[in-house]
């Protein structure tokens, strides 16, 4: 994370974002780091990771933005996709019901995450480490929600990402 105080530091931060491939169409698909999960290969920039998913194939050494990914196919196990209800809301479930309670807990955690990120980006960069920990907790809560049947025999619940104002947080 780079603090931004002036035009020079803003330009440096933007250069870092571009370097990491955050949505920018680049001339190289690699971000310059080693892949965390596959240290034997370079890491694909974020923008091109989405291209891999969209095109159903991985990038390999020698691939370019023009060639597209020519590596192994990305297999999608559709049986592993959870049938989460479209656009879930806490109001869809009665107060006190297990799904609503879980969604409300998720929203508390989500709002805490937003708070920590705001603090981290507004002068307290140490809060970023706390925010990352909260992200992992949020993931666990979301996965649990997506496994809770809604009762219609077809769909599961899901996270609602509803903001909880500070005065209403636990």
């Amino acid at each position: 994370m780079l603090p931004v105080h002036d035009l020079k530091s803003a330009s440096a931060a933007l250069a870092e974002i571009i370097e990491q491939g955050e949505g920018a169409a680049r001339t190289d698909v690699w971000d310059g780091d080693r892949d965390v999960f596959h240290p034997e290969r370079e890491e694909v920039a974020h923008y091109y990771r989405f291209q891999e998913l969209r095109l159903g194939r991985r990038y390999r050494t020698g691939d370019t933005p023009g060639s597209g990914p020519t590596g192994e196919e990305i297999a999608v196990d559709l049986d592993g996709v959870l049938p989460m209800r479209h656009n879930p809301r806490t109001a869809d479930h009665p107060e006190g019901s297990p799904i609503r309670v879980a969604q409300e807990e998720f929203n508390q955690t989500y709002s805490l995450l937003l708070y920590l990120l705001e603090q981290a980006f507004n002068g307290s960069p140490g809060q970023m480490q706390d925010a990352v920990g909260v992200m992992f907790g949020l993931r666990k809560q979301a996965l649990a929600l997506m496994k809770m049947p809604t009762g219609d025999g077809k769909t599961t619940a899901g996270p609602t990402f509803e903001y909880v104002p500070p005065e209403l947080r636990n």
Side-chain angles (χ1 to χ4, degrees):
M1 186 166 55
L2 302 172
V4 176
H5 303 289
D6 54 23
L7 180 59
K8 183 178 179 181
S9 59
S11 295
L14 287 172
E16 179 68 18
I17 290 168
I18 292 168
E19 148 66 29
Q20 291 179 4
E22 302 283 350
R26 304 161 37 119
T27 58
D28 191 8
V29 298
W30 315 103
D31 77 357
D33 295 324
R34 304 306 301 167
D35 187 302
V36 174
F37 300 106
H38 305 280
E40 72 280 0
R41 63 184 182 209
E42 289 185 84
E43 186 171 72
V44 174
H46 287 112
Y47 175 82
Y48 293 103
R49 285 188 200 172
F50 290 110
Q51 291 298 316
E52 286 179 324
L53 292 173
R54 187 174 71 82
L55 300 170
R57 204 168 273 292
R58 297 214 179 273
Y59 280 96
R60 65 179 175 182
T61 303
D63 288 346
T64 67
S67 73
T70 63
E72 69 268 16
E73 283 190 34
I74 296 175
V76 177
D77 176 13
L78 294 178
D79 292 331
V81 176
L82 299 171
M84 190 184 93
R85 182 178 184 168
H86 178 73
N87 199 23
R89 294 282 169 248
T90 55
D92 297 339
H93 305 283
E95 285 192 37
S97 68
I99 289 175
R100 184 157 178 166
V101 168
Q103 287 174 328
E104 288 170 343
E105 289 172 0
F106 176 91
N107 291 334
Q108 292 279 338
T109 305
Y110 171 65
S111 297
L112 172 62
L113 174 61
L114 294 177
Y115 169 79
L116 292 171
L117 289 172
E118 179 183 25
Q119 295 301 303
F121 288 116
N122 283 301
S124 299
Q127 295 284 45
M128 186 58 79
Q129 185 174 3
D130 293 336
V132 170
V134 171
M135 284 181 204
F136 283 103
L138 196 65
R139 179 182 187 275
K140 184 177 178 182
Q141 288 176 309
L143 290 171
L145 275 163
M146 291 185 287
K147 292 179 181 175
M148 295 177 81
T150 60
D152 66 5
K154 300 176 192 170
T155 61
T156 61
T160 63
F161 295 96
E162 295 170 275
Y163 180 72
V164 179
E167 64 273 10
L168 298 178
R169 292 184 202 151
N170 296 336

